């Protein structure tokens, strides 16, 4: 798996993921479990690889990995 998530994209994903996960602890209704959706952007930000980007052929890293290989 070659990284396809750039630094700015990565920071945004991590912040959004943590913000969504905080809803699990801060919201008092049954909707708080929707905060678990935050695991997806958090995980993709941490591992720097997004399966949706891979399917769409998108790369926000700024480095052309095809030339480097």
């Amino acid at each position: 798996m070659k990284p396809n998530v750039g630094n700015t994209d990565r920071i945004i994903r991590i912040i959004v993921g943590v913000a969504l996960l905080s809803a699990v602890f801060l919201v008092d209704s049954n909707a708080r479990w929707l905060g678990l959706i935050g695991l997806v952007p958090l995980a993709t930000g941490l591992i720097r690889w997004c399966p949706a980007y891979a399917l769409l052929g998108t790369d926000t890293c700024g480095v052309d990995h095809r030339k480097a290989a």
Side-chain angles (χ1 to χ4, degrees), residues 28-67:
D28 289 332
S29 69
N30 286 336
R32 71 175 177 229
W33 299 111
L34 290 175
L36 292 176
I37 293 171
L39 289 173
V40 175
L42 182 61
T44 58
L46 291 175
I47 63 173
R48 297 190 67 153
W49 185 77
C50 177
Y53 277 9
L55 286 173
L56 297 172
T58 304
D59 188 350
T60 61
C61 282
V63 176
D64 192 1
H65 299 290
R66 291 170 285 186
K67 291 181 183 176

